[in-house]
Amino acid sequence: MVCRMFRLETEVDKARRDLLHKRLRDTNTAASPVLRALRGTPAERESPLHVWALTANGELAGGLVGHTWTTWLHVTYLWVDAAHRGAGLGSALLTEAERLAATERACTRSRVETWDFQAPDFYRKHGYEVVCVIPDYPPGITEYTLTKRLG
């Protein structure tokens, strides 16, 4: 039960969202020496990392969209057009992203989330290990989080 001193609202409010984010960040920074040490350094911010595969005529055949943060690569999306699947393009995209993250951004680990019908076996084949399984997310589907040590 919520105390009668408070009014709950459910509207989307960007200003309040930003204030909440700042306050949570400040609380986390105060509580964690690791996060405190990151503040004000280049490693504090996420940095986009994109790798694209284009056909000879410049059409998108596949791509990987992710970012690096601290010493981690986070693979957000990896997709290969159906016409180009099975030719190793997905592996090439992932390998290049891992190489860039490790050599140019000093990343030592990588992470990805994928659903059971997408690519958990693909990532396992590339050395990723399942660290989290969430059944029924969304209903009828299992989500996997996988990580890999780079280098």
Side-chain angles (χ1 to χ4, degrees):
M1 177 175 223
V2 176
C3 178
R4 293 182 188 261
M5 294 174 31
F6 302 99
R7 180 180 77 244
L8 300 181
E9 296 180 358
T10 59
E11 68 188 67
V12 174
D13 184 319
K14 185 177 187 266
R16 286 181 187 159
R17 180 205 64 203
D18 292 347
L19 178 59
L20 186 75
H21 179 258
K22 181 194 178 317
R23 289 182 179 174
L24 179 60
R25 183 178 182 271
D26 292 348
T27 300
N28 290 345
T29 300
S32 169
V34 172
L35 294 177
R36 203 167 30 256
L38 281 174
R39 298 301 176 235
T41 70
E44 176 182 25
R45 299 231 178 266
E46 292 179 0
S47 182
L49 193 153
H50 298 178
V51 182
W52 306 107
L54 306 174
T55 66
N57 18 330
E59 294 176 13
L60 183 64
L64 181 147
V65 172
H67 66 269
T68 56
W69 180 68
T70 67
T71 59
W72 282 80
L73 165 64
H74 187 153
V75 177
T76 308
Y77 310 121
L78 193 158
W79 174 84
V80 174
D81 185 85
H84 304 288
R85 290 182 190 152
L89 187 51
S91 295
L93 290 164
L94 182 61
T95 299
E96 179 65 1
E98 291 173 348
R99 184 192 70 75
L100 290 170
T103 61
E104 296 183 8
R105 302 187 186 188
C107 289
T108 58
R109 305 276 302 198
S110 179
R111 68 174 282 175
V112 63
E113 295 85 30
T114 189
W115 284 321
D116 55 8
F117 66 88
Q118 289 178 318
D121 291 337
F122 169 83
Y123 290 107
R124 283 188 194 107
K125 184 178 97 178
H126 288 281
Y128 285 73
E129 296 177 5
V130 174
V131 295
C132 179
V133 177
I134 305 173
D136 240 17
Y137 182 76
I141 295 174
T142 299
E143 181 181 87
Y144 294 88
T145 301
L146 300 97
T147 63
K148 176 182 178 179
R149 191 171 296 279
L150 301 177

